[in-house]
């Protein structure tokens, strides 16, 4: 063990790979995203009509469509299921979500001009 690691209290150990079949037997899961997968989606799309001030789900900074970071959390546990960056026009979409689970959607302004915007108790839509 290097001297600097001994002074800082770090211990070294070997990394062991566990086969997926053995991991499943002990209750380990490959991904939290698989637990919440389904046919639903969440999206911030532009207005459907011709009115530019119509309410929509685009990411905005100071009421102007912009690029930002979107996180989708499972409501009861707070686990981050998915995240994405919106396009420069503020539109975004996250697919393969379970439509029966309520979600919390958080939009972050990475420029630091505004606080995060949060929508709670959001249910994913299903394509018809």
């Amino acid at each position: 063990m290097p001297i600097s690691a001994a002074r800082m209290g770090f211990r070294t150990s070997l990394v062991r790979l566990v086969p997926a079949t053995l991991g499943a037997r002990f209750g380990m899961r490959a991904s939290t995203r698989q637990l919440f997968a389904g046919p639903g989606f969440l999206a911030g799309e532009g207005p459907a009509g011709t009115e530019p001030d119509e309410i929509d789900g685009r990411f905005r900074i100071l009421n102007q469509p912009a690029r930002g970071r979107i996180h989708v959390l499972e409501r009861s546990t707070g686990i981050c299921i998915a995240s994405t960056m919106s396009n420069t026009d503020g539109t975004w979409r996250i697919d393969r979500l379970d439509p029966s689970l309520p979600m919390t959607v958080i939009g972050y302004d990475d420029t630091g001009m505004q606080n995060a915007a949060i929508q709670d108790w959001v249910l994913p839509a299903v394509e018809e």
Side-chain angles (χ1 to χ4, degrees):
M1 179 177 351
I3 294 173
S4 61
R7 278 191 209 145
M8 301 301 259
F10 297 121
R11 296 188 326 189
T12 58
S13 63
L14 295 173
V15 175
R16 296 182 187 173
L17 298 175
V18 178
T21 55
L22 182 62
R25 202 173 343 160
F26 291 109
M28 299 164 68
R29 296 188 175 103
S31 169
T32 56
R33 174 81 189 245
Q34 293 174 350
L35 294 174
F36 308 107
F41 72 94
L42 292 173
E45 298 171 347
T50 58
E51 183 67 34
D53 293 331
E54 187 177 338
I55 296 175
D56 57 34
R58 292 182 289 176
F59 183 87
R60 295 173 179 265
I61 298 174
L62 297 174
N63 208 25
Q64 296 298 318
R67 186 167 174 80
R69 194 164 29 111
I70 311 291
H71 285 241
V72 175
L73 308 169
E74 197 275 323
R75 178 133 198 341
S76 64
T77 62
I79 294 173
C80 183
I81 297 171
S83 65
T84 190
M85 289 292 287
S86 67
N87 298 321
T88 54
D89 64 352
T91 59
W92 58 276
R93 183 178 173 114
I94 296 176
D95 291 311
R96 299 187 59 224
L97 299 173
D98 185 348
S100 65
L101 292 174
M103 311 280 177
T104 300
V105 181
I106 305 174
Y108 294 98
D109 173 17
D110 289 334
T111 64
M113 293 174 54
Q114 294 291 307
N115 290 332
I118 301 172
Q119 290 293 317
D120 201 7
W121 293 101
V122 178
L123 289 174
V126 178
E127 299 232 30
E128 297 174 4

